[in-house]
Amino acid sequence: MAGRGTGPDFVEALARGLDVLCCFDEHHPRMTLTEVATAAGLARPTVRRLLLTLQELGYVRADGTTFTLTPRVLRLGMAYVGALGMWDVARPHLEDLVRRTGESSSMSQLDGSDIVYIARVAVPKIIALRVAVGTRFPAARTSQGKVLLAALDRSTREAVLAEPSRSGLPVVPLDAARLEDELAVVRARGWALADEELAPGVRSVAVPVRDGTGAVRAAMNVTVHAAETSVDVLTGEYLPLLLRAAGDVSADWALVEARPQAEIRPA
């Protein structure tokens, strides 16, 4: 993974340390030194020093011959969310939307060809995929991803989609022409639907969240179980509530950006 830097100030050791952290995921929560070295594409002595350093810093825990991440790693991701002020802005609106619909709602942003969840309020449901803040999914297979991809210019979108997904899900061939047609519809109507494209039983609708300039900065969705909720109910009853909630988040976000942080009291 490492060795990507080209600038004179690129710190290879830092890049390798981050690569080691990224080797751990829900499918590989516990790994041996050899497994980490293989996944990161680094020599075992190098990985050993990196793991021991991360252990001393509190980001990794050793258990015999295996290593696992510690909760301290959450600080890295939550620092980003906290810096945006997104959770404080979005939470009351997400919670109200969930109360009104009885369904889970999330917000995400693009990272390469994936979406990454940055906020979520969930309700207990038997659903095919487990989702939490920090979860990645291929953007083109999700309603939130379609909203975010539709907001990009074509050249940027093509570059983004050319990046390999880091979600860990099986690769599904992408019909670029069909996706472009669908994204044109998403831009025109202002919302996107994903009907069991990510996994069987998972159906969702998403809309954009904008900043004070009107630029799309995130996407917000409502997710339902396909066996319980039809597309007509999702788009006819839940979509108007979602549009209102996303509009309220956008308005509050614009206030946060425009005024000193101490003055903001999100609704």
Side-chain angles (χ1 to χ4, degrees), residues 120-220:
R120 179 167 172 82
V121 176
V123 296
K125 291 278 184 177
I126 299 177
I127 204 75
L129 293 170
R130 184 174 61 184
V131 179
V133 171
T135 295
R136 287 177 171 273
F137 290 133
R141 294 164 57 187
T142 68
S143 59
Q144 294 185 90
K146 292 175 186 178
V147 165
L148 296 169
L149 290 171
L152 303 176
D153 62 75
R154 184 155 189 165
S155 61
T156 302
R157 182 164 55 251
E158 290 175 349
V160 164
L161 290 173
E163 297 184 30
S165 171
R166 290 182 282 155
S167 66
L169 295 181
V171 176
V172 175
L174 182 66
D175 187 331
R178 180 176 179 181
L179 178 61
E180 279 298 321
D181 290 343
E182 183 177 5
L183 295 181
V185 174
V186 171
R187 281 191 296 275
R189 70 186 180 189
W191 56 272
L193 176 72
D195 190 5
E196 301 189 83
E197 297 171 44
L198 185 62
V202 179
R203 177 177 289 158
S204 67
V205 66
V207 301
V209 176
R210 302 177 185 275
D211 63 15
T213 69
V216 176
R217 294 281 300 277
M220 185 170 170

Side-chain angles (χ1 to χ4, degrees), residues 3-4 16 25 43 47-48 70-71 74 135 151 156 161 165 177 209 226 229 232 249:
R4 300 171 304 278
R16 290 175 173 176
D25 57 30
V47 171
R48 178 180 177 275
T70 71
L74 291 173
T135 295
T156 302
L161 290 173
S165 171
V209 176
T229 307
D232 288 342
V249 173

Side-chain angles (χ1 to χ4, degrees), residues 67-89:
F67 295 86
T68 59
L69 299 182
T70 71
R72 180 181 286 266
V73 174
L74 291 173
R75 294 185 182 181
L76 300 176
M78 295 311 296
Y80 170 72
V81 176
L84 287 177
M86 176 53 64
W87 176 238
D88 289 335
V89 170

Side-chain angles (χ1 to χ4, degrees), residues 30 54-55 58-63 66-71:
R30 188 180 299 274
L54 291 169
Q55 180 182 3
Y59 292 106
V60 168
R61 179 184 297 113
D63 183 11
T66 62
F67 295 86
T68 59
L69 299 182
T70 71

